[in-house]
Amino acid sequence: MNVLRCPFKSRQASLSCSCLNLTLRICRCLSVSEAATALRPFYFTVHPDLFGQHPKERSINEDSLKKLHQYIFALRKQENVPPTNLTFFAKNDADRDQGLSHIKVHLASPSIRDTVTTVLTSCQLPLDYINTISEVPTSSKTKVHHGPDFRDIFAGRKGGEAFYRKVEKLNLLSWIKTNSKISRKKSQESRDYSKDVKEITGRLKEMVGVRAIGWHTNWGPRRFTACLTSLEKVSENHPIVVKKFLFGRNVVFTDRNGVSLSGEVCLNHTDVPQVWLMRLTSVPAYDAVIERLPYMEQELSRLLCHIKIRRRERHHIVMAEEYEVLLNKILNTMRRNQDLVRRMFRSGDLSRLEMVVEGSSAPLTLTNLGQYLIPVSMPGSMIVDFIAKTQQQAEERLKDAISLKMIEDEVIQQCQDKLGLIHLEKDLNISPAQMTQCCERLMDNADEITTYMEGVRVRVTQYYSVTDDGLVCIPWNWEND
């Protein structure tokens, strides 16, 4: 049994008030994302997923990890945190299936760095990463590198500068000062339209029995209202036909017609209502496709040693018939490579891994979240070889993603509360690490930006923009000077 007590508390009594303030400033320079990276080996040692055959120990580790995250976040918020005792179980390297080590950790330090060091030392894990992080706090005014400026390439060529517009570099504070009023004005207009949307949707539910109506385009709420009004008129003129094909279904206005992968009836917002009415007659034919998809995914999972098949969220809606074609292609590919699968995966179990079936133009890759993106155009031998070579890396990323998601959710909530935001979200292409870094920097600059961001909705993405419904988009690596 390893019992460690942080020595910081015994030293602290001898420090003067000024020294204590200096210590706190230095200690807190370790960010939450850096702490998560430093604790990564620890997560792999005590992660609850490793204790499937030990439900009691699994529950204890789960509860202790939550308390550890809460302790670190409280330090990040510069709150006074009472000493905390944590208990973890870890599998012994000598006998990972039988022996369990009982680890106790006593946390009493106001320093994130010392807290992380204490936790790592308790499991006799290396401190290599945390020792590379400077103890001198970096300025919150540090610029984020955005890549090379290609104007430098043409600096020596006559007329080279003419290829580029001279664009003033944006920083968050000046941009939000200019656009906060625009956002609030558009949000108010959007709320006015939202009342109409709610009323029309309610009438359609009563008239034709539709379950829900959504909107999945870049157009604003005015266009959504117009589409709903058109659908209502069609329903009034042809109530029997519309009710027959939309009763109990979800409807989404998008840029395509058909039925989505999740069973939603898609209506193209650019079409006239008569086209919608004609398209609705083909909706029942897709029911059989929707029913077949889970069985096809199960078969693909079986052919690849029970790997989990996931459907990841995308910017665009995937149609059911298109996904069926993709599944058919990769099923035929894997059926022709079963001998190679059995030879490469002798254990016969890849149930800990996850894969997503992608179109022909997608790359064969392993995402930061540990999921395999498999294009159907790739030869089966290359797919099997790639999974075999990166299997261990994928398992580590999947475990890491769970911890990063917990940290990300906590940081988002803290940032939303501190800035007074109505809602805070991120784009699909923003990683948990990028989102965490962005939120931490927003909180560090809260005194300057809260006045302009309070009461708005924010999406973290790659660019600056204000959408038609008042949503404020900011890049995750925004500049602040």
Side-chain angles (χ1 to χ4, degrees), residues 93 142 268 312 349:
D93 292 334
T142 302
N268 193 328
R312 72 185 181 109
D349 183 22

Side-chain angles (χ1 to χ4, degrees), residues 156-200:
R157 182 182 299 178
K158 184 178 180 180
E161 285 289 330
F163 286 94
Y164 296 90
R165 276 191 308 119
K166 290 187 176 181
V167 181
E168 180 183 358
K169 287 188 176 181
L170 296 176
N171 67 75
L172 180 63
L173 182 58
S174 63
W175 186 86
I176 199 65
K177 280 182 180 179
T178 305
N179 291 275
S180 59
K181 290 183 180 179
I182 299 174
S183 169
R184 290 187 174 93
K185 181 180 178 181
K186 289 186 175 182
S187 295
Q188 182 58 49
E189 293 175 354
S190 177
R191 282 192 287 270
D192 295 338
Y193 281 109
S194 296
K195 296 177 183 177
D196 296 335
V197 168
K198 188 175 181 180
E199 291 176 1
I200 300 173

